[in-house]
Amino acid sequence: MRKSLLVLISILSAVMLLAIACGSDEADPNATDTPAPPNTIAVEDRATEPPPPPTAMPAEDTPVPSAPAGGTVELTIDVNGEALEFTTASLSAAAGSEVVLTFNNSSSVNSHNWALVEAGTKDDVATAGLAAGQDNNWLPSGDARLLSATILIGPGESGQATFTAPAAGDYQFVCTFPGHNFTMFGTFTVN
Ligand SMILES: [Cu+2]
């Protein structure tokens, strides 16, 4: 009888140990469950982080092609009626800016153009334009001194010259219609 009791006790104690062991095993899953939430949070953080870069990429790409280094400058010029002179003798723009110059020729009889040339070359360029003829808008072709120009604009008509403002410095603008260059000119300042 005593031996059987001892066996029972030993069996019970073994069962107790197993129960404790199982209890400790059950504690492990709980231990692994605790770190799990941080992992899911970390995954959520990673999931929310990627979206900003994609949205930031297009935002950086769009300004590059659309916005020139110096921005866009819109200039307007006219003539003083039938006088052979522009309405202003000075224009300016920032270096590298995209210049859109609109020339409104309000004269009722005269044709004009507007040409941007290197400083001190307005008369020489006009002379070269005289040789080029009216079919070429009184403008020489392939002339490095001529930086930009409108076409020949008839009375009451308008035209545009679009160009990137060159390096900082003083330039000239002039009408190269024969004889107009002596009174139709001004200084174009790039700053
Ligand atoms: Cu003119």
Side-chain angles (χ1 to χ4, degrees):
M1 290 294 283
R2 290 176 183 175
K3 287 181 181 177
S4 60
L5 278 171
L6 287 171
V7 169
L8 277 171
I9 289 166
S10 62
I11 289 168
L12 285 171
S13 61
V15 170
M16 290 285 283
L17 286 171
L18 283 170
I20 291 166
C22 289
S24 63
D25 287 342
E26 288 172 2
D28 289 337
N30 290 336
T32 53
D33 286 347
T34 310
N39 287 339
T40 55
I41 290 169
V43 170
E44 287 173 0
D45 288 343
R46 290 172 186 172
T48 52
E49 282 173 5
T55 53
M57 292 292 284
E60 291 175 359
D61 289 344
T62 39
V64 174
S66 61
T72 300
V73 178
E74 293 184 358
L75 301 175
T76 303
I77 197 168
D78 200 336
V79 289
N80 288 325
E82 308 311 326
L84 300 181
E85 58 187 26
F86 288 111
T87 49
T88 181
S90 62
L91 295 170
S92 66
S97 59
E98 190 71 8
V99 181
V100 179
L101 179 134
T102 300
F103 178 19
N104 300 310
N105 180 11
S106 62
S107 168
S108 56
V109 294
N110 296 317
S111 292
H112 300 290
N113 65 18
W114 182 95
L116 179 68
V117 300
E118 295 283 357
T121 68
K122 72 175 181 65
D123 293 333
D124 291 339
V125 171
T127 299
L130 185 61
Q134 183 171 342
D135 290 345
N136 294 311
N137 303 292
W138 303 111
L139 295 166
S141 61
D143 193 317
R145 300 168 298 182
L146 178 60
L147 306 178
S148 182
T150 67
I151 61 171
L152 190 63
I153 302 168
E157 297 179 347
S158 296
Q160 284 188 332
T162 302
F163 57 94
T164 301
D170 285 344
Y171 301 81
Q172 286 181 310
F173 60 87
V174 61
C175 171
T176 62
F177 189 99
H180 292 194
N181 54 292
F182 300 110
T183 54
M184 287 190 73
F185 66 94
T187 300
F188 194 103
T189 303
V190 179
N191 36 51

